Amino acid sequence: MRPHGMFFVLLTFLLSYSFSAQAAKPCKELPFEVVAEGFKFPEGPAFDAEGNLYVVAYREYSEIGVIRADGTVGPFFDLGSEGAPNGMAFSSDGRLFACEYEGDRIVAIDLAAKKVSTVVDSYQGKPLNDPNDIFLCANGDLYFTDPYREDATGGGRVFVY
């Protein structure tokens, strides 16, 4: 075997041994801290441009809470009878988009006016199942999941709007 061939075999062995040895060990626990407590069922975290963190299900499933940059926590907006938000994402123009699973739709919330508008609630004439998670791309494309529910139309899907 040529010297560089032996080096390659040794390097391959060492790398595979290193990776298999690491895989056998659990992940190292890193330090973390609680930044807010008391939420009912916190999900869908989204930051605004000022560094405030919005989280769904603050005290009620219909309520969005805010963890402000200064560390204070409180209610921000309650959809009330309009439904319950889940995943959220901010647009560059400051609107907060949310999957609203009880109303089977995607909504946009104008933060200043605290006004809700429906963005999308159906596809090819059929209602969405239960929108769940959302991601807003830099180019403005809005991706969201619409999981399958036994009593819903169609199957689980991923959409782009």
Side-chain angles (χ1 to χ4, degrees):
M1 189 177 285
R2 295 183 180 151
H4 66 281
M6 183 60 148
F7 173 75
F8 179 72
V9 169
L10 180 61
L11 180 62
T12 303
F13 170 76
L14 290 173
L15 287 174
S16 66
Y17 175 77
S18 174
F19 288 130
S20 65
Q22 287 296 328
K25 296 179 185 178
C27 295
K28 179 180 177 184
E29 185 175 313
L30 298 175
F32 65 94
E33 64 181 272
V34 175
V35 296
E37 294 180 292
F39 288 81
K40 184 173 189 119
F41 194 83
E43 281 196 292
F47 281 96
D48 68 11
E50 287 77 43
N52 299 303
L53 177 59
Y54 295 77
V55 182
V56 301
Y58 176 61
R59 297 279 192 235
E60 299 298 327
Y61 289 119
S62 60
E63 193 172 39
I64 297 170
V66 60
I67 304 165
R68 295 174 194 84
D70 66 8
T72 59
V73 178
F76 168 71
F77 187 74
D78 191 344
L79 270 76
S81 63
E82 290 196 53
N86 201 353
M88 298 187 297
F90 274 96
S91 65
S92 59
D93 65 3
R95 289 179 297 159
L96 179 58
F97 288 92
C99 294
E100 201 283 286
Y101 66 90
E102 285 189 354
D104 301 330
R105 63 187 179 152
I106 302 298
V107 297
I109 303 169
D110 178 321
L111 297 183
K114 291 192 177 180
K115 183 177 185 302
V116 178
S117 59
T118 298
V119 175
V120 62
D121 62 2
S122 63
Y123 177 71
Q124 295 182 340
K126 295 181 181 178
L128 299 177
N129 293 330
D130 281 326
N132 189 41
D133 294 312
I134 196 165
F135 182 82
L136 184 63
C137 295
N139 69 359
D141 288 350
L142 191 65
Y143 284 83
F144 63 94
T145 60
D146 191 33
Y148 172 73
R149 306 284 192 243
E150 286 186 31
D151 59 340
T153 309
R157 306 168 287 191
V158 177
F159 287 101
V160 62
Y161 175 80

